[in-house]
Amino acid sequence: MTVRSVVPFGIGDVVTVAEQHYCYGLGTLTLRIVEVGRREEHSDGLWIHLRGVELGRPSGARQRRVLARLEAIRIRPVPALVAHVPARPGWQCTGCGESWPCRVRRDRLLSEYADDRAALGVYLGLQLVEALTDLSRQPAGDLHTRFLGWLRTR
């Protein structure tokens, strides 16, 4: 008989899992969920595949996939305002896990630079130059569209 447990968290939630309750890693894991995967029944309980942005790392946030014991996952309250900054080297957003600059960050940048769109272009151009070193296998045109192309449409 398979047990169907309701998952008490979803995309955007921040969860913690003690070291002994996930594969593989050291220490308590703090993860902002970007994808909830399939569940697996094991002899020691129900486990679930998760993808998310690992938070609280000294070297910065990074995207990660884990298999965790469902009953051991603890939901943490999420602060009202999430930073939405890039995690290198993949340039994923630490706030939502999307490619940076994500939709939320683009909206915030437009608001912050409302009076100086040229300065926003310079800032994003500098970010693009930084990203080129980490994302060298991606076509330059795609990166240009990602970092600067959306400015023309607004």
PDB file of all heavy atoms in Angstrom, residues 72-92:
ATOM      1  N   ALA A  72      10.672  15.254   7.660  1.00  0.00           N
ATOM      2  CA  ALA A  72      11.721  16.006   8.353  1.00  0.00           C
ATOM      3  C   ALA A  72      11.891  17.428   7.817  1.00  0.00           C
ATOM      4  O   ALA A  72      12.656  18.211   8.358  1.00  0.00           O
ATOM      5  CB  ALA A  72      13.052  15.261   8.241  1.00  0.00           C
ATOM      6  N   ILE A  73      11.172  17.777   6.769  1.00  0.00           N
ATOM      7  CA  ILE A  73      11.288  19.106   6.173  1.00  0.00           C
ATOM      8  C   ILE A  73      10.505  20.106   7.012  1.00  0.00           C
ATOM      9  O   ILE A  73       9.336  19.889   7.321  1.00  0.00           O
ATOM     10  CB  ILE A  73      10.781  19.093   4.718  1.00  0.00           C
ATOM     11  CG1 ILE A  73      11.644  18.145   3.881  1.00  0.00           C
ATOM     12  CG2 ILE A  73      10.777  20.501   4.129  1.00  0.00           C
ATOM     13  CD1 ILE A  73      11.119  17.888   2.493  1.00  0.00           C
ATOM     14  N   ARG A  74      11.168  21.200   7.379  1.00  0.00           N
ATOM     15  CA  ARG A  74      10.548  22.250   8.195  1.00  0.00           C
ATOM     16  C   ARG A  74      10.431  23.529   7.375  1.00  0.00           C
ATOM     17  O   ARG A  74      11.393  23.952   6.740  1.00  0.00           O
ATOM     18  CB  ARG A  74      11.370  22.532   9.461  1.00  0.00           C
ATOM     19  CG  ARG A  74      11.586  21.323  10.335  1.00  0.00           C
ATOM     20  CD  ARG A  74      10.269  20.877  10.981  1.00  0.00           C
ATOM     21  NE  ARG A  74      10.438  19.650  11.728  1.00  0.00           N
ATOM     22  CZ  ARG A  74       9.905  18.483  11.381  1.00  0.00           C
ATOM     23  NH1 ARG A  74       9.174  18.374  10.306  1.00  0.00           N
ATOM     24  NH2 ARG A  74      10.097  17.414  12.120  1.00  0.00           N
ATOM     25  N   ILE A  75       9.268  24.140   7.401  1.00  0.00           N
ATOM     26  CA  ILE A  75       9.040  25.383   6.658  1.00  0.00           C
ATOM     27  C   ILE A  75       9.481  26.560   7.511  1.00  0.00           C
ATOM     28  O   ILE A  75       9.156  26.639   8.692  1.00  0.00           O
ATOM     29  CB  ILE A  75       7.552  25.535   6.289  1.00  0.00           C
ATOM     30  CG1 ILE A  75       7.101  24.336   5.451  1.00  0.00           C
ATOM     31  CG2 ILE A  75       7.315  26.831   5.531  1.00  0.00           C
ATOM     32  CD1 ILE A  75       5.612  24.279   5.221  1.00  0.00           C
ATOM     33  N   ARG A  76      10.247  27.466   6.900  1.00  0.00           N
ATOM     34  CA  ARG A  76      10.679  28.699   7.578  1.00  0.00           C
ATOM     35  C   ARG A  76       9.861  29.867   7.062  1.00  0.00           C
ATOM     36  O   ARG A  76       9.536  29.916   5.882  1.00  0.00           O
ATOM     37  CB  ARG A  76      12.155  28.983   7.270  1.00  0.00           C
ATOM     38  CG  ARG A  76      13.088  28.134   8.079  1.00  0.00           C
ATOM     39  CD  ARG A  76      14.529  28.534   7.957  1.00  0.00           C
ATOM     40  NE  ARG A  76      14.747  29.957   7.756  1.00  0.00           N
ATOM     41  CZ  ARG A  76      15.910  30.466   7.397  1.00  0.00           C
ATOM     42  NH1 ARG A  76      16.944  29.695   7.199  1.00  0.00           N
ATOM     43  NH2 ARG A  76      16.060  31.753   7.232  1.00  0.00           N
ATOM     44  N   PRO A  77       9.556  30.810   7.942  1.00  0.00           N
ATOM     45  CA  PRO A  77       8.850  32.009   7.455  1.00  0.00           C
ATOM     46  C   PRO A  77       9.717  32.751   6.445  1.00  0.00           C
ATOM     47  O   PRO A  77      10.928  32.842   6.607  1.00  0.00           O
ATOM     48  CB  PRO A  77       8.649  32.859   8.709  1.00  0.00           C
ATOM     49  CG  PRO A  77       9.042  32.015   9.867  1.00  0.00           C
ATOM     50  CD  PRO A  77       9.824  30.854   9.357  1.00  0.00           C
ATOM     51  N   VAL A  78       9.092  33.261   5.406  1.00  0.00           N
ATOM     52  CA  VAL A  78       9.811  33.978   4.353  1.00  0.00           C
ATOM     53  C   VAL A  78       9.707  35.476   4.622  1.00  0.00           C
ATOM     54  O   VAL A  78       8.621  35.988   4.842  1.00  0.00           O
ATOM     55  CB  VAL A  78       9.211  33.655   2.963  1.00  0.00           C
ATOM     56  CG1 VAL A  78       9.898  34.436   1.873  1.00  0.00           C
ATOM     57  CG2 VAL A  78       9.281  32.174   2.690  1.00  0.00           C
ATOM     58  N   PRO A  79      10.830  36.189   4.598  1.00  0.00           N
ATOM     59  CA  PRO A  79      10.760  37.642   4.753  1.00  0.00           C
ATOM     60  C   PRO A  79       9.932  38.267   3.637  1.00  0.00           C
ATOM     61  O   PRO A  79       9.877  37.740   2.527  1.00  0.00           O
ATOM     62  CB  PRO A  79      12.212  38.112   4.662  1.00  0.00           C
ATOM     63  CG  PRO A  79      13.054  36.895   4.596  1.00  0.00           C
ATOM     64  CD  PRO A  79      12.177  35.705   4.400  1.00  0.00           C
ATOM     65  N   ALA A  80       9.317  39.383   3.924  1.00  0.00           N
ATOM     66  CA  ALA A  80       8.432  40.039   2.959  1.00  0.00           C
ATOM     67  C   ALA A  80       9.163  40.436   1.680  1.00  0.00           C
ATOM     68  O   ALA A  80       8.629  40.315   0.598  1.00  0.00           O
ATOM     69  CB  ALA A  80       7.791  41.257   3.595  1.00  0.00           C
ATOM     70  N   LEU A  81      10.386  40.908   1.788  1.00  0.00           N
ATOM     71  CA  LEU A  81      11.116  41.367   0.620  1.00  0.00           C
ATOM     72  C   LEU A  81      12.325  40.463   0.391  1.00  0.00           C
ATOM     73  O   LEU A  81      13.221  40.403   1.212  1.00  0.00           O
ATOM     74  CB  LEU A  81      11.570  42.815   0.815  1.00  0.00           C
ATOM     75  CG  LEU A  81      12.169  43.508  -0.389  1.00  0.00           C
ATOM     76  CD1 LEU A  81      11.148  43.580  -1.523  1.00  0.00           C
ATOM     77  CD2 LEU A  81      12.618  44.904  -0.013  1.00  0.00           C
ATOM     78  N   VAL A  82      12.347  39.770  -0.709  1.00  0.00           N
ATOM     79  CA  VAL A  82      13.437  38.868  -1.059  1.00  0.00           C
ATOM     80  C   VAL A  82      14.403  39.620  -1.970  1.00  0.00           C
ATOM     81  O   VAL A  82      13.983  40.417  -2.813  1.00  0.00           O
ATOM     82  CB  VAL A  82      12.872  37.611  -1.753  1.00  0.00           C
ATOM     83  CG1 VAL A  82      13.976  36.692  -2.211  1.00  0.00           C
ATOM     84  CG2 VAL A  82      11.928  36.889  -0.824  1.00  0.00           C
ATOM     85  N   ALA A  83      15.691  39.359  -1.813  1.00  0.00           N
ATOM     86  CA  ALA A  83      16.723  40.147  -2.488  1.00  0.00           C
ATOM     87  C   ALA A  83      16.710  40.040  -4.019  1.00  0.00           C
ATOM     88  O   ALA A  83      16.936  41.012  -4.700  1.00  0.00           O
ATOM     89  CB  ALA A  83      18.096  39.755  -1.960  1.00  0.00           C
ATOM     90  N   HIS A  84      16.513  38.882  -4.593  1.00  0.00           N
ATOM     91  CA  HIS A  84      16.552  38.670  -6.045  1.00  0.00           C
ATOM     92  C   HIS A  84      17.876  39.157  -6.646  1.00  0.00           C
ATOM     93  O   HIS A  84      17.905  40.014  -7.520  1.00  0.00           O
ATOM     94  CB  HIS A  84      15.355  39.318  -6.740  1.00  0.00           C
ATOM     95  CG  HIS A  84      14.062  38.666  -6.387  1.00  0.00           C
ATOM     96  ND1 HIS A  84      13.593  37.543  -7.029  1.00  0.00           N
ATOM     97  CD2 HIS A  84      13.151  38.963  -5.428  1.00  0.00           C
ATOM     98  CE1 HIS A  84      12.449  37.185  -6.489  1.00  0.00           C
ATOM     99  NE2 HIS A  84      12.162  38.023  -5.514  1.00  0.00           N
ATOM    100  N   VAL A  85      18.957  38.584  -6.133  1.00  0.00           N
ATOM    101  CA  VAL A  85      20.298  38.878  -6.639  1.00  0.00           C
ATOM    102  C   VAL A  85      20.853  37.629  -7.310  1.00  0.00           C
ATOM    103  O   VAL A  85      20.400  36.515  -7.032  1.00  0.00           O
ATOM    104  CB  VAL A  85      21.243  39.358  -5.502  1.00  0.00           C
ATOM    105  CG1 VAL A  85      20.763  40.685  -4.941  1.00  0.00           C
ATOM    106  CG2 VAL A  85      21.359  38.326  -4.410  1.00  0.00           C
ATOM    107  N   PRO A  86      21.858  37.774  -8.202  1.00  0.00           N
ATOM    108  CA  PRO A  86      22.365  36.602  -8.917  1.00  0.00           C
ATOM    109  C   PRO A  86      23.292  35.737  -8.060  1.00  0.00           C
ATOM    110  O   PRO A  86      24.081  36.245  -7.271  1.00  0.00           O
ATOM    111  CB  PRO A  86      23.132  37.213 -10.090  1.00  0.00           C
ATOM    112  CG  PRO A  86      23.540  38.560  -9.622  1.00  0.00           C
ATOM    113  CD  PRO A  86      22.455  39.022  -8.686  1.00  0.00           C
ATOM    114  N   ALA A  87      23.156  34.431  -8.233  1.00  0.00           N
ATOM    115  CA  ALA A  87      24.072  33.469  -7.608  1.00  0.00           C
ATOM    116  C   ALA A  87      25.016  32.981  -8.700  1.00  0.00           C
ATOM    117  O   ALA A  87      24.584  32.407  -9.694  1.00  0.00           O
ATOM    118  CB  ALA A  87      23.297  32.312  -7.004  1.00  0.00           C
ATOM    119  N   ARG A  88      26.288  33.244  -8.513  1.00  0.00           N
ATOM    120  CA  ARG A  88      27.279  32.820  -9.484  1.00  0.00           C
ATOM    121  C   ARG A  88      27.762  31.423  -9.133  1.00  0.00           C
ATOM    122  O   ARG A  88      27.729  31.058  -7.981  1.00  0.00           O
ATOM    123  CB  ARG A  88      28.442  33.814  -9.481  1.00  0.00           C
ATOM    124  CG  ARG A  88      28.006  35.185  -9.980  1.00  0.00           C
ATOM    125  CD  ARG A  88      29.106  36.170  -9.956  1.00  0.00           C
ATOM    126  NE  ARG A  88      30.045  35.897 -11.046  1.00  0.00           N
ATOM    127  CZ  ARG A  88      31.034  36.706 -11.351  1.00  0.00           C
ATOM    128  NH1 ARG A  88      31.238  37.808 -10.668  1.00  0.00           N
ATOM    129  NH2 ARG A  88      31.849  36.406 -12.332  1.00  0.00           N
ATOM    130  N   PRO A  89      28.159  30.622 -10.084  1.00  0.00           N
ATOM    131  CA  PRO A  89      28.450  30.958 -11.471  1.00  0.00           C
ATOM    132  C   PRO A  89      27.282  30.777 -12.432  1.00  0.00           C
ATOM    133  O   PRO A  89      27.384  31.124 -13.595  1.00  0.00           O
ATOM    134  CB  PRO A  89      29.569  29.981 -11.830  1.00  0.00           C
ATOM    135  CG  PRO A  89      29.251  28.768 -11.041  1.00  0.00           C
ATOM    136  CD  PRO A  89      28.653  29.282  -9.749  1.00  0.00           C
ATOM    137  N   GLY A  90      26.152  30.253 -11.974  1.00  0.00           N
ATOM    138  CA  GLY A  90      25.045  29.975 -12.892  1.00  0.00           C
ATOM    139  C   GLY A  90      24.147  31.146 -13.197  1.00  0.00           C
ATOM    140  O   GLY A  90      23.306  31.066 -14.072  1.00  0.00           O
ATOM    141  N   TRP A  91      24.281  32.242 -12.449  1.00  0.00           N
ATOM    142  CA  TRP A  91      23.476  33.442 -12.618  1.00  0.00           C
ATOM    143  C   TRP A  91      21.989  33.149 -12.500  1.00  0.00           C
ATOM    144  O   TRP A  91      21.174  33.623 -13.276  1.00  0.00           O
ATOM    145  CB  TRP A  91      23.831  34.172 -13.922  1.00  0.00           C
ATOM    146  CG  TRP A  91      25.145  34.851 -13.800  1.00  0.00           C
ATOM    147  CD1 TRP A  91      26.374  34.270 -13.912  1.00  0.00           C
ATOM    148  CD2 TRP A  91      25.389  36.221 -13.476  1.00  0.00           C
ATOM    149  NE1 TRP A  91      27.363  35.196 -13.686  1.00  0.00           N
ATOM    150  CE2 TRP A  91      26.787  36.411 -13.420  1.00  0.00           C
ATOM    151  CE3 TRP A  91      24.566  37.310 -13.230  1.00  0.00           C
ATOM    152  CZ2 TRP A  91      27.371  37.633 -13.129  1.00  0.00           C
ATOM    153  CZ3 TRP A  91      25.150  38.527 -12.954  1.00  0.00           C
ATOM    154  CH2 TRP A  91      26.533  38.680 -12.899  1.00  0.00           C
ATOM    155  N   GLN A  92      21.647  32.331 -11.485  1.00  0.00           N
ATOM    156  CA  GLN A  92      20.259  32.092 -11.122  1.00  0.00           C
ATOM    157  C   GLN A  92      19.904  33.067 -10.002  1.00  0.00           C
ATOM    158  O   GLN A  92      20.739  33.409  -9.169  1.00  0.00           O
ATOM    159  CB  GLN A  92      20.054  30.658 -10.641  1.00  0.00           C
ATOM    160  CG  GLN A  92      20.391  29.592 -11.658  1.00  0.00           C
ATOM    161  CD  GLN A  92      19.602  29.714 -12.930  1.00  0.00           C
ATOM    162  OE1 GLN A  92      20.165  29.980 -13.974  1.00  0.00           O
ATOM    163  NE2 GLN A  92      18.299  29.537 -12.858  1.00  0.00           N
TER     164      GLN A  92
END
